[in-house]
Amino acid sequence: VNATCQLRFTTITAVFFEGLISFAMARQTADKNEWIIKGEIALSYMKRWESTKWNFENKIKLLEAEKMHCLGYFDLASKLYVDAVESSKRHKFFHELAMCLELQGLFFQGRNMAEEALTSLRRSVRCYRNWGADAVAERVELYIRHHFGH
C-alpha cells in the first residue's frame, strides 16, 4: 500500500482480508514464515490506520487472534477471538461478527474442543443468515454436517 494514497474503505477491506488469508495460508502451507510476515504487514497497516476503536478494534483483534493461532500461542489466541467477537457485537459489525465466530469455531475444532467449536459455528450461521449471506451460512452448515454429523 502506497503511504501517500488516500485511505479508502476498499483499501482497508483488502488489507484486512489479505491478513486473514495470509494467516490461514501460514497454517496450511510449508511457507509458514513467509505467510506470517505478510499477515503481520497487514496487521501493522490496520494498527497504523486505527483512528477509532469503533472501526478497527474488532478487525485488529481478529488478525491478532489468527496470528497467535499460527504462532502456537493458543491461550492468547482464544482470548483474542473472544475479544474480536465481543468488539464486533459492541460496534454492530454483524457481518464481521459472523466471520469472527466462524474462525473462532475453526480454532476450537483444531484444539479438539468440539462443543465450543459447534457452538461458535452455529452462532456464525445465525449471524450470516441475519445478515442475508445465505450462501455463506449454507457453506458453514455443510461444514458442520461433514465434520460434526449435525
Side-chain angles (χ1 to χ4, degrees):
V1 176
N2 184 335
T4 62
C5 75
Q6 183 180 3
L7 189 59
R8 299 178 192 275
F9 171 76
T10 52
T11 304
I12 295 167
T13 302
V15 170
F16 174 57
F17 280 100
E18 182 177 347
L20 291 176
I21 291 165
S22 296
F23 290 129
M25 292 298 292
R27 289 192 299 275
Q28 298 174 20
T29 67
D31 301 328
K32 179 178 182 171
N33 291 334
E34 178 182 330
W35 286 106
I36 288 175
I37 290 168
K38 289 179 181 188
E40 288 174 333
I41 291 168
L43 178 56
S44 72
Y45 276 113
M46 296 300 287
K47 286 180 176 181
R48 186 176 325 149
W49 296 333
E50 182 181 23
S51 55
T52 66
K53 287 188 186 293
W54 185 268
N55 289 320
F56 288 88
E57 181 182 61
N58 67 320
K59 296 168 188 65
I60 290 170
K61 295 291 186 188
L62 184 58
L63 288 170
E64 289 175 334
E66 288 285 286
K67 176 183 174 182
M68 293 301 109
H69 183 180
C70 287
L71 296 175
Y73 297 111
F74 301 123
D75 289 342
L76 182 53
S78 183
K79 180 193 178 314
L80 287 163
Y81 283 114
V82 170
D83 291 348
V85 166
E86 291 303 315
S87 178
S88 296
K89 279 195 297 194
R90 188 171 51 254
H91 298 146
K92 301 184 184 345
F93 289 115
F94 299 115
H95 60 299
E96 291 171 2
L97 172 59
M99 240 182 0
C100 290
L101 287 164
E102 181 181 357
L103 291 173
Q104 180 185 51
L106 296 175
F107 167 77
F108 285 145
Q109 183 189 15
R111 304 295 306 141
N112 296 315
M113 300 168 69
E115 186 176 325
E116 293 87 342
L118 194 53
T119 297
S120 293
L121 291 168
R122 284 180 173 157
R123 285 179 63 201
S124 79
V125 167
R126 284 193 301 275
C127 288
Y128 283 130
R129 289 225 184 270
N130 289 340
W131 183 45
D134 292 329
V136 181
E138 289 172 18
R139 176 187 53 78
V140 177
E141 286 176 330
L142 182 63
Y143 183 90
I144 290 169
R145 281 194 300 278
H146 182 262
H147 290 276
F148 296 92
H150 291 268

